[in-house]
Structure formats: C-alpha cells, structure tokens
C-alpha cells in the first residue's frame, strides 16, 4: 500500500509540474538568483578597481594605468568571449525580443550558448565601470531562461510542448522586475516595449512572476546583510507633508520638455556615431578585421576622461553609476544662491564638491560628458543596455534644475505663510523618469521610479514630465529600440505615426508579390520536387487546378514527407523485392527441372539472396548492369504520378487579404495576429502574397532614413515564411 501511495504521489507531482504557476515560480526564482549573482560579481569587480586605484595613491601614473587598464581588459574579454561563443548576445536584446514576439524566428537567439555569453559578457562589461545598463540585457536573459525552462517543462507534458507567446512576455516583465525590484513597473514596461497588443488574461502571470522574482531578489540582499529589511533599491526620504508647491509645476514641465529633446538627441547621436563609422570604409574594414580594437579604444577614451585626478575630478568621475544615482537623489540641498555650501557630511557626495568649481559646473560637465559617452559606449559589441546610463543622466539634469531653483528661492516658496524649502532630489526623480521615458518611448518609467525610490509623493510632477517628454520625443525620433531594429534591418512593423496620411491610401495589391510559388490539387510528385528545390518558403499555397481558387496552405515539412513517402527507402525496397521475385520466376521457367546446370544456377542465386539480405535481386552480370537504369526509370515513373493529399495536414483557412485592403488595415492585422505573411485573393482566386518585409518597408516610405548598422560585424539570420 505504501508503494502504491508513493507511485500515485509521484504521478500527481509530475502531472502538476506541467502547470503554468510552477513554471512562473521557477522562472522568478532562477532570474532572482541570476540577478543577485550578477550584481554581486559586478560589485566585486568595481571594488577591485577602487582597491587598485587607492593602493597606488603615491604614484599618479601607476594610478592612471590601473584605472585605464582594468576596464579595457574586462571590456575586451567581454567582446571577445561574446563574439566567439554567441554573437547574438551582443547589445540589449529588447529589439530582438520585440521582433521575436511579432512571429519572426531569429536563429540562435534563445539558446543556452547565448545565455552563457550574455550573463558572463554582461557581468564583465558592467564590472568595468563603463556607462552601460543592465535592464535591456536582463529582458533578453529572462526570455532565454523562459525558453530553456519551457523545453525542460515540456518533458512533463502539458502546455509547454508548444511554445507560447505569453512565456516571453512574462519573461520580459520578470527581467525588469528582478533588475530594479520593480514588479509593477516591469509588467507595464514589458507591455509597452514588446507588445503592440496584449492579452489581458496574461496579466496575472506577469505580475505573479515579476513580484516573486523581485521579492526573492530583495530577500537575497537581506540574507547577504546588504540590507536590514526589504526596502526600495534607491530609497529616498523626501518630505511627505508638502513635497512640492503648485508654483513648481512649470519647472517640472520644463524638465519634461527638455528631456524629450534630450531623449531624441540621444537616439540620433547613437545612430550618427555608427553611421559615421560605416561611411569611413577604410576605418570600417580595419575595425572589422580587428574586432577587439574598437571596444578597447572606446573604453580607453572614456576611462581616461573619467580619471579622478584628471578631468574626472570635475564630473564626479570616481563614482559608480549606483553611487552617482544615490547622491543625486539626496534630499539635501547642495547649493544656495549659486555658492556651493561646505559639505559638512561625508560620503560619496564629496565627489560633487570641487574647491575651484561650484556644483552647477560639475553637474553640467557630468551631463554633457556622460551623454555622449553613453551614446558612444552603447555601440560597443558587448552585452549592454542604455536604460541605466540615461536614467542617471536624467537624474543629474533634474538635480541641476532643482539646485537652480534652490538658488533662486533660497528661502523656499512661501505658501500660506509657511516656508517650504526646495527639494532638489525630487527634481532628480522627475528628470530620471522623463529622460528614460523619452529614450524608450514609455510612460511606465514613472512607475519604475516610484518602486525604485519607495515614495509616490511626486506622482503628479513625474507623470506630467514623462507625458511631455514622450510627446516631444515621439514627434522627433523613434525609440532607441525601434532605432536599433532599423539599424539591424530586422523585419518589424513600426508604430503608425502621426501624419503621412497619403501612405494609408496604399493598398495590398500595390506592394504584394505577384510571382507566387504554389502547388495544385492534381499536381504530380515532380512538381513537388521542383518546388522544394527552387524555393525555401515555410508554407506553400494549395490551389484548385483550373480556377486558381485558394484551397489552403501546406507546410514545407508536409510536402517533404509526401515526397519521401513516394520515393523513400521503403518504396525502393518494395520495388526491389518485386523485381527479385519476378526475376526468380522468370529464371525458374527458363531453366529445365532436370538440368543440373539450371538447378546449380538457381541455388547460387538463392544463396546470394541469403548471404546479402539487402540485395533482393540476383546478382548476375546482366542484372547488375541494368539495375541502375531500371531504378532511375522507376523514379521517373513515380514522379509522374499524381500526389495523394489524403494523409497530409492542410491548413484549410490560411490568412487572406482582399486586393483592396489598405496598408493601415494590413499593418494593424499583422501586428495584432503576429503574422509573417498573408495571401492576397480576389473572389477566392490567389493573385499574390504579402509578407512582413513588404509591409514594414512600405511603412517606412516618406520617413527619414534610419537604416544603419548598430553593432559592427553582427550578422542576423532571420527566417520567416
């Protein structure tokens, strides 16, 4: 009885493993562990650099060598390791995930090799101290985990035997959630960035997995004694009773508008740098041969400019991104009436205090230098993102406006006779959300900021600034992710922008491919053979022979199976058996029953058949010489036979568009259903086919040219029907 009970329990657990909530728990747990381990390794790398720098304090030249060599080695290793193991791990990963979620297959983007290259390459890249981000790569890493976990879960059966889109959408939310401990913002950000249309029934999956992942991520910090309890990642202590005055709202609006222009400029500058390198053919060819030289030179330049005893002293160069953000969100005022206060508190804030330059010059230099450094650094062929550098730059810009307001109103803004001093840290929060929202074209950065800081006191100014920043940025440039998609020339449908109404008058018949490969209902196997040799389409249209009416579509694998069934090994062996039997009967009739020679020849041929089981016909000289010709003749006869589609899986309702369907409708339908192609019919007759490429290319008509390369030497293999 105990054994039977144990077996039943095992069967019950195995059957339950296939359920989606188990998958979500495992995904959240694994991603939290990966995020914590990566952060721990990055902290060790950054601490090692500071230890080397501080240990050589007596010699400035050795300090410079240590400060520069360390990040160059890490970035070079990251670029080389990624290029050798999995070049698909280069870059953010969000543009590729947007493309994959639209139904396009990108080879090798969701494999274990890519996962290893992404994690190790990202750790080394961020450990170098370069202005690079973590959020984008973690969205890709989470999708990799979801894909690998789905393969594992499919062993237990259930819904994971088929790949579902919601797994990748949920994984994107988990990637942001475990990166910033912001589950709500992570879910909203994943929807805004990756999905044009989102199934609401998947909401609970995203929130459950992201919340569990963020919880485990912060619990690990408490377990490692980095935190006393579970708190926000960058906890702020702003005034709650009166966080801001209504008279400050125009300043917040200015931050939003300026951040919109800044976000558009960042995207444009990032594209301009790559375009400049591409146009210089000599430099481009040289860098393509020396792939590790470009990242090394960029790292050398950035590290030299941030060297603390050098120019870095004027821009808080010795602070890491995390330390810079913590100091920028400080609620204490650094300056009054344009004169820097004496910093009576110790810590990282001392880096902003320079004896010869006031805090405004330091903030301006920090913003300007980090702006172009981040745009340049994101072109390095290593796993990296741009969200965190842009977030820090936005916080610095907001801090600059806040310090300016504190200088103009040193006694604060009077309201009902009560003096409320300006809080520059609140302006930094608004600037961070606005600039990051402008670069990514998302509003959910406001929610991410609230979860990062643990306070919602500035919800109104943050929302005003983010909405204004998005309005300005979207009218000037595509988002950074859409820009990279166009740079890499991925098949992806852009959002339908304002204006350009004339292109909505374009119909499907104007852009469709008229020379369509198809098969007919009464075709022969020779037609299948020719179609499979000449084309590489995943699916083929099945037409009625005379009227050309579309009857359905057949996958390429089904056609290959039909051809293999007709000309495969079993049919050949059957033919050889029949031939051997016929030849044996002929010989027995020709030979005399009493003839000794005849019986010896028959016995010899039978012996050959027994010894050689794979030769089912007599091996006489005349037979062996003519067997090749007879098999070739048999193949020709088989190819001329009519195809039998009875045992073939046919899609009786492939997606069809009528010839007068507008581009606007086609764009919406392709985005909603995740199509990669559709047949164009007229009264049921097939007249053409339109693919994602035609729709995407037509959407870009009349728009500014943005087709430049993002990462040098990054080759993509896109396979879509």
């Amino acid at each position: 009885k105990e054994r039977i009970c144990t077996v039943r329990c095992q069967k019950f657990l195995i059957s339950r493993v296939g359920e989606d909530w188990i998958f979500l728990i495992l995904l959240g747990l694994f991603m939290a562990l990966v995020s914590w381990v990566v952060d721990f390794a990055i902290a060790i790398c950054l601490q090692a650099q500071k230890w080397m720098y501080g240990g050589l304090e007596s010699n400035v030249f050795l300090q410079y060598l240590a400060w520069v060599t360390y990040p160059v080695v890490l970035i070079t290793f990251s670029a080389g390791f990624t290029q050798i193991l999995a070049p698909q791990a280069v870059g953010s990963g969000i543009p590729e995930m947007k493309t994959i979620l639209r139904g396009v297959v990108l080879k090798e983007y969701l494999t274990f090799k890519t996962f290893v290259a992404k994690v190790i390459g990202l750790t080394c890249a961020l450990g170098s101290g370069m202005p690079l981000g973590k959020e984008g790569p973690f969205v890709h890493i989470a999708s990799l985990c979801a894909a690998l976990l789905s393969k594992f879960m499919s062993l237990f059966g259930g819904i994971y035997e088929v790949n579902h889109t919601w797994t990748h959408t949920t994984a994107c939310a988990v990637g942001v959630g475990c990166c910033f401990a912001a589950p709500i913002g992570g879910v909203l950000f994943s929807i805004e960035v990756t999905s044009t249309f989102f199934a609401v029934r998947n909401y609970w999956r995203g929130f459950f997995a992201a919340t569990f992942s963020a919880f485990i991520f912060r619990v690990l910090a408490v377990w490692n004694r980095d935190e006393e309890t579970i708190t926000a990642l960058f906890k702020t202590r702003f005034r709650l009773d009166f966080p801001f005055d209504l008279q400050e709202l125009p300043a917040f609006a200015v931050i939003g508008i300026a951040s919109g222009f800044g976000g558009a400029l960042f995207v444009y500058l990032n594209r301009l740098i790559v375009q400049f390198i591409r146009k210089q053919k000599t430099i481009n060819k040289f860098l393509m041969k020396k792939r590790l030289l470009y990242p090394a030179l960029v790292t050398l330049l950035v590290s030299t400019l941030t060297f603390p005893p050098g120019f870095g002293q004027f821009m808080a160069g010795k602070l890491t991104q995390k330390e810079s953000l913590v100091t920028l969100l400080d609620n204490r005022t650094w300056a009054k009436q344009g004169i820097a206060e004496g910093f009576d508190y110790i810590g990282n804030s001392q880096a902003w205090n320079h004896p010869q330059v006031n805090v405004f010059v330091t903030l301006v230099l920090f913003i300007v230098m980090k702006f172009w450094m981040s745009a340049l650094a994101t072109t390095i062929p290593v796993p990296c993102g741009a969200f965190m550098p842009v977030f820090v730059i936005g916080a610095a810009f907001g801090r600059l406006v806040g310090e300016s307001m504190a200088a103009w109103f040193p006694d604060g803004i009077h309201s009902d006779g009560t003096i409320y001093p300006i809080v520059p840290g609140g302006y930094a929060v608004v600037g961070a959300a606005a600039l990051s929202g402008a670069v990514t074209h998302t509003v959910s950065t406001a929610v991410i900021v609230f979860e990062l800081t643990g306070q919602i006191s500035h919800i109104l100014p943050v929302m005003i600034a983010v909405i204004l920043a998005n309005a300005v940025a979207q009218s000037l440039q595509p988002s950074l992710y859409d820009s990279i998609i166009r740079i890499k020339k991925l098949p992806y449908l852009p959002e339908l922008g304002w204006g350009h109404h004339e292109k909505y008058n374009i119909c499907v018949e104007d852009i469709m491919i008229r020379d369509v490969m198809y098969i007919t209902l009464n075709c022969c196997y020779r037609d299948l053979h020719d179609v499979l040799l000449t084309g590489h389409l995943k699916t083929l249209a099945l037409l009625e022979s005379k009227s050309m009416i579309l009857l359905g579509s057949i996958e390429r694998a089904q056609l290959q199976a039909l051809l293999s069934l007709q000309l495969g090994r079993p049919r050949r062996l059957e033919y050889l058996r029949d031939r051997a039997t016929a030849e044996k009967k002929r010989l027995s009739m020709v030979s005399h029953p009493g003839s000794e020679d005849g019986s010896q020849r028959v016995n010899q041929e039978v012996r050959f058949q027994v010894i050689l089981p794979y030769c089912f016909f007599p091996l006489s000289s005349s037979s062996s010489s003519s067997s090749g010709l007879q098999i070739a003749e048999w193949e020709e006869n088989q190819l001329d036979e009519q195809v039998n589609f009875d045992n073939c899986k046919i899609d009786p309702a492939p997606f069809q568009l009528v010839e007068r369907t507008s581009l606007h409708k086609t764009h919406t339908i392709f985005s909603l259903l995740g199509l990669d192609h559709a047949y164009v019919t007229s009264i049921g007759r097939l007249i053409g086919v339109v693919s994602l490429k035609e729709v995407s290319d037509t959407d870009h008509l009349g728009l500014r040219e943005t087709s430049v390369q993002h990462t040098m030497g990054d080759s993509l293999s896109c396979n879509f029907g």
Side-chain angles (χ1 to χ4, degrees), residues 94-112:
I94 290 181
E96 288 79 14
M97 290 312 304
K98 291 184 71 170
T99 307
I100 290 173
L101 288 172
R102 291 294 179 91
V104 180
V105 178
L106 298 182
K107 293 182 178 178
E108 303 296 329
Y109 264 88
L110 298 175
T111 59
F112 182 72

Side-chain angles (χ1 to χ4, degrees), residues 101-176:
L101 288 172
R102 291 294 179 91
V104 180
V105 178
L106 298 182
K107 293 182 178 178
E108 303 296 329
Y109 264 88
L110 298 175
T111 59
F112 182 72
K113 285 197 310 181
T114 309
F115 172 79
V116 174
K118 197 82 174 182
V119 171
I120 296 178
L122 177 66
T123 304
C124 294
L126 297 184
S128 67
M130 289 287 286
L132 301 171
K134 173 188 174 185
E135 184 185 37
F138 254 77
V139 169
H140 189 193
I141 291 172
S143 299
L144 286 164
C145 289
L148 297 173
L149 194 59
S150 294
K151 290 182 180 179
F152 171 75
M153 301 286 279
S154 64
L155 300 176
F156 301 96
I159 63 175
Y160 299 99
E161 294 176 350
V162 181
N163 190 20
H164 284 264
T165 304
W166 68 260
T167 59
H168 295 306
T169 308
T170 303
C172 294
V174 172
V176 181

Side-chain angles (χ1 to χ4, degrees), residues 558-617:
Q558 292 291 321
L559 299 179
Q560 291 173 337
L562 284 176
L563 200 59
S564 176
L565 187 64
Q566 184 71 5
L567 298 174
R569 180 179 176 83
R571 290 294 303 275
R572 292 173 183 269
L573 294 179
E574 182 181 357
Y575 166 71
L576 293 176
R577 288 193 194 95
D578 295 341
R579 234 189 94 202
T581 303
E583 185 70 13
K584 185 177 179 180
K585 288 182 179 180
R586 186 184 66 81
L587 291 175
S588 62
M589 292 178 63
V590 171
S591 60
H592 299 286
S595 173
E596 190 174 313
D597 295 337
S599 60
Q600 182 180 1
R601 187 165 58 188
V602 171
N603 292 334
Q604 182 181 9
E605 292 177 1
V606 171
R607 186 174 68 253
F608 276 127
Q609 293 181 42
V610 173
I611 295 174
L612 302 175
Y614 294 108
C615 185
F616 294 97
F617 54 91

Side-chain angles (χ1 to χ4, degrees), residues 518 520-522 542-551 681-687:
Y518 62 88
T520 59
L521 193 60
N522 59 352
L542 178 64
L543 307 182
E544 206 279 327
S545 304
K546 297 181 180 179
S547 62
M548 298 294 289
I549 292 178
L550 181 64
L551 302 177
T681 58
S682 176
I683 321 178
R685 294 173 55 251
L686 180 67
I687 60 175

Side-chain angles (χ1 to χ4, degrees), residues 319-376:
L319 297 182
T320 64
Q321 284 191 120
K322 185 175 181 179
E323 293 170 346
S324 299
L325 187 58
V326 170
T327 56
L328 290 170
L329 297 179
D330 191 2
N331 60 339
R332 287 172 285 192
T333 306
W334 293 348
K336 289 184 178 180
Q337 297 178 342
I339 302 174
E341 288 184 334
F343 286 85
D344 56 349
Y345 49 91
I346 60 174
N348 294 323
S349 297
Q350 284 284 355
W352 300 96
N353 182 23
H354 194 274
Q356 301 174 358
V357 179
N358 63 30
V359 70
F360 298 106
V361 177
T362 305
L363 285 171
V364 169
L365 288 176
F366 179 86
I367 294 168
V368 173
M369 297 300 292
K370 288 291 185 180
F371 192 87
W372 69 263
M373 284 180 182
S374 301
L376 177 64

Side-chain angles (χ1 to χ4, degrees), residues 519 522-534 563 566-567 632-643:
I519 55 176
N522 59 352
C523 67
C524 59
Y525 287 96
R526 189 182 304 278
D527 298 329
L528 293 187
H529 181 265
D530 295 340
V531 166
L532 292 175
L533 284 180
T534 56
L563 200 59
Q566 184 71 5
L567 298 174
E633 183 180 357
W634 173 82
E635 288 182 353
E636 292 295 324
N637 294 333
Q638 294 298 314
L639 288 173
D640 290 332
E641 290 187 8
Q642 185 174 339
V643 179

Side-chain angles (χ1 to χ4, degrees), residues 469-487:
N470 270 273
V472 174
Q474 290 181 21
S475 63
L476 296 175
Q477 287 286 326
S479 71
L480 181 63
Y481 307 127
D482 288 341
S483 177
I484 295 174
I485 285 174
R486 298 179 189 180
I487 282 168

